[in-house]
């Protein structure tokens, strides 16, 4: 089947046409600067990337241009729209309403809209993308795949905050967790790669990208995860602070004479390893700066690995053990130094890393030694393929 996977942001729209027989993308692309001016980057699997400046006042126009690119005589990969069997939409927040992916109906659209408050930057944009696709492809089935759904199995002891209970009841203030599609995909691959029985397994998935989260997966279900009601909680990230003492917010507001929006912006965009180092949010830049003697870059990297190791430790406690730890996403898949540093804290678990293997690059590999008590894996995540598969399963 051919599934169009759409990840729609407020001014951008990423797409992939996934062939679920070959598990590969026939084409990938990105519409940028929607509502500003507009640019489409389209790369067919067997061809060169083409970049076109095109006026994109609306998301609907962007979807139109995606369809044009996919069916184009030269750079297209299908001859007509009829070849698209379904569209899978990434939706960031499903609140407590969605514990799994679902076919999109009017009721589902309404329920997604009711979650807008929980993800004001993302959900409205996701809905705009769905509406644009529905208009242009009225007869094609559409599926919503939620970042939060995989974590709906968390027990209340993991998702409740120590706040007045009425805030949970009235406003839904609780841990939801994100990157669920990735955590689900990577944990499933880990059972295969590490030779585990899913129904009798304890896996910790470290999704370390620009945004980063760690999940404890017990017998195939998420039982705890580091991101919270929003993607700001948990690990220190590229530009996000992760966990901080909540009293710091008021303290910064007073000291720096800033309002709450300005402080939120600092926590989301000017913190993390970027804020600590003053160098970059990109780990390639940080490693280089650290090797050149930049002390703050070195400290930022140390703080990062230390936090990852602390979360792993807490999830070993939550599950009373661990069989396998999987590293994924941009940093998890590519940064052997972070993996080495994180694992250097885990000797107490009987973990041994094969340093040569850790330095190599493969989409899926075991980097622990055969005598290591816990298997440590690197698994390349593929959220688009996971969304396409969920879509096929539902249609
Ligand atoms: P997201 O999808 O959250 O935007 P990714 O999972 O693509 O992020 O991760 C992007 C990050 O991965 C980059 O900011 C960079 O820090 C890191 N990264 C990518 N490639 C490498 C590499 N070769 N070595 C070290 N870090 C890398």
């Amino acid at each position: 089947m051919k599934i169009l996977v759409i990840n729609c942001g407020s001014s951008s729209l990423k797409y992939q046409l996934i062939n679920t027989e070959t598990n590969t993308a026939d084409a990938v692309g990105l519409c940028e600067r929607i509502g500003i001016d507009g640019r489409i980057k389209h790369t067919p699997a067997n061809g060169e990337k083409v970049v076109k400046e095109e006026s994109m006042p609306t998301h609907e126009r962007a979807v139109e241009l995606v369809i044009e690119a996919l069916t184009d005589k030269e750079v297209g990969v299908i001859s007509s729209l009829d070849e698209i069997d379904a569209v899978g939409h990434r939706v960031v927040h499903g609140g407590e309403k969605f514990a799994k992916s679902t076919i999109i109906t009017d009721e589902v659209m309404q329920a997604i809209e009711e979650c807008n408050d929980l993800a004001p930057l993302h959900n409205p944009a996701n809905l705009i993308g769905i509406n644009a696709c529905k208009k242009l492809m009225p007869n094609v089935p559409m599926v919503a795949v939620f970042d939060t759904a995989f974590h709906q199995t968390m027990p209340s002891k993991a998702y409740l905050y120590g706040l007045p209970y009425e805030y949970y009841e009235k406003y839904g203030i609780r841990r939801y967790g994100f990157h669920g599609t990735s955590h689900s995909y990577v944990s499933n691959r880990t059972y295969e790669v590490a030779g585990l029985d899913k129904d009798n397994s304890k896996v910790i998935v470290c999704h370390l990208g620009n945004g980063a989260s760690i999940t404890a997966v017990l017998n195939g279900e998420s039982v705890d995860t580091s991101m919270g009601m929003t993607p700001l909680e948990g690990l220190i990230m590229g530009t996000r602070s992760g966990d901080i003492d909540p009293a710091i917010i008021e303290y910064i507001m007073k000291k720096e004479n800033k309002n709450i929006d300005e402080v939120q912006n600092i926590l989301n965009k000017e913190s993390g390893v970027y804020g600590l180092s003053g160098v970059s949010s990109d780990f390639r830049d940080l490693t280089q700066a650290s090797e050149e003697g930049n002390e703050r870059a070195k400290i930022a990297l140390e703080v990062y690995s230390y936090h990852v190791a602390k979360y792993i430790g807490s999830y070993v406690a939550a599950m009373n053990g661990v069989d396998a730890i999987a590293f994924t996403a941009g940093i998890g898949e590519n940064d052997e130094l972070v993996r080495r540093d994180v694992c250097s804290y885990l000797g107490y678990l009987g973990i041994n890393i094969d340093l040569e293997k850790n330095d190599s690059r493969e989409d899926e590999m075991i980097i622990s030694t055969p005598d290591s008590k816990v298997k440590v894996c690197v698994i390349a995540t593929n959220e688009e393929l996971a969304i396409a598969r969920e879509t096929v399963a539902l249609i």
Side-chain angles (χ1 to χ4, degrees):
M1 282 196 174
K2 296 201 186 221
I3 308 295
L4 179 60
V5 174
I6 299 276
N7 181 355
C8 191
S10 55
S11 69
S12 72
L13 185 151
K14 291 186 202 152
Y15 64 93
Q16 291 200 8
L17 187 69
I18 302 275
N19 181 330
T20 55
E21 265 98 66
T22 57
N23 290 333
T24 55
D26 288 343
V28 304
L30 166 69
C31 298
E32 294 176 299
R33 301 178 60 82
I34 302 170
I36 306 166
D37 36 33
R39 180 186 308 134
I40 179 165
K41 296 176 179 168
H42 173 84
T43 313
N46 300 319
E48 299 275 300
K49 181 196 271 187
V50 278
V51 182
K52 264 204 303 192
E53 314 285 330
E54 281 271 359
S55 163
M56 266 178 227
T58 62
H59 285 75
E60 210 178 305
R61 179 68 190 136
V63 175
E64 237 168 46
L65 289 163
V66 170
I67 295 170
E68 276 175 28
L70 289 171
T71 53
D72 185 84
K73 285 219 167 57
E74 308 214 319
V75 296
V77 290
I78 49 175
S79 49
S80 87
L81 208 57
D82 299 341
E83 288 183 46
I84 299 176
D85 294 294
V87 182
H89 292 271
R90 175 182 180 217
V91 178
V92 167
H93 220 305
E96 286 187 330
K97 294 177 196 292
F98 296 103
K100 42 185 180 319
S101 308
T102 179
I103 297 259
I104 297 175
T105 60
D106 289 346
E107 292 75 47
V108 166
M109 299 280 284
Q110 176 70 32
I112 295 173
E113 199 175 333
E114 282 161 17
C115 298
N116 277 2
D117 269 0
L118 292 168
L121 295 179
H122 294 102
N123 270 32
N126 299 153
L127 280 168
I128 290 171
I130 295 172
N131 273 320
C133 288
K134 278 177 69 165
K135 246 190 177 156
L136 294 163
M137 296 177 261
N139 300 319
V140 181
M142 312 254 161
V143 168
V145 180
F146 300 90
D147 273 20
T148 50
F150 180 61
H151 302 298
Q152 279 295 303
T153 45
M154 276 189 291
S156 53
K157 65 183 174 189
Y159 70 67
L160 284 176
Y161 293 116
L163 291 168
Y165 192 76
E166 67 196 71
Y167 294 157
Y168 165 59
E169 293 179 306
K170 280 204 286 195
Y171 310 123
I173 295 180
R174 50 158 285 179
R175 177 183 312 286
Y176 291 97
F178 297 87
H179 294 136
T181 313
S182 176
H183 287 296
S184 164
Y185 175 85
V186 171
S187 53
N188 276 305
R189 290 304 309 148
T190 304
Y191 310 133
E192 295 278 321
V193 171
L196 299 176
D197 168 18
K198 176 176 178 173
D199 297 327
N200 191 12
S201 63
K202 298 169 178 175
V203 170
I204 296 174
V205 178
C206 308
H207 177 110
L208 310 179
N210 259 327
S213 68
I214 302 198
T215 297
V217 189
L218 181 63
N219 304 331
E221 294 187 338
S222 168
V223 291
D224 205 348
T225 191
S226 60
M227 281 180 169
M229 183 171 105
T230 75
L232 186 54
E233 194 187 343
L235 300 170
I236 162 174
M237 308 177 210
T239 61
R240 288 179 224 157
S241 65
D243 301 333
I244 58 165
D245 176 347
I248 292 171
I249 294 173
E250 189 200 5
Y251 199 78
I252 297 175
M253 286 171 73
K254 284 189 175 149
K255 289 282 180 196
E256 294 269 311
N257 196 22
K258 291 196 186 306
N259 65 33
I260 190 70
D261 290 339
E262 289 169 319
V263 176
Q264 280 293 345
N265 196 51
I266 291 169
L267 297 181
N268 276 292
K269 302 206 171 128
E270 294 174 29
S271 300
V273 289
Y274 167 73
L276 268 180
S277 67
V279 172
S280 170
S281 62
D282 191 304
F283 277 60
R284 289 161 286 199
D285 303 336
L286 288 172
T287 303
Q288 192 184 341
S290 166
E291 283 168 1
E292 287 165 6
N294 185 311
E295 269 308 304
R296 274 173 53 191
K298 182 164 171 268
I299 287 169
L301 289 168
E302 283 174 4
V303 173
Y304 189 84
S305 297
Y306 179 68
H307 278 218
V308 175
K310 277 213 299 192
Y311 261 102
I312 290 175
S314 68
Y315 290 161
V316 173
M319 295 193 289
N320 191 18
V322 59
D323 300 314
I325 297 171
F327 286 96
T328 192
I331 299 155
E333 289 166 32
N334 297 302
D335 198 321
E336 64 276 5
L337 297 176
V338 167
R339 292 196 300 257
R340 189 196 66 196
D341 288 350
V342 169
C343 290
S344 72
Y345 290 98
L346 306 177
Y348 72 100
L349 293 171
I351 285 182
N352 266 321
I353 294 300
D354 178 339
L355 290 176
E356 212 171 290
K357 190 77 195 168
N358 183 45
D359 281 349
S360 61
R361 284 274 154 91
E362 281 172 51
D363 276 356
E364 296 187 340
M365 60 180 178
I366 296 179
I367 57 168
S368 48
T369 57
D371 65 345
S372 176
K373 292 224 170 65
V374 177
K375 291 218 165 74
V376 182
C377 312
V378 175
I379 307 277
T381 193
N382 192 335
E383 287 169 283
E384 289 77 16
L385 178 59
I387 292 173
R389 284 182 177 160
E390 293 267 319
T391 304
V392 168
L394 280 167
I395 62 158

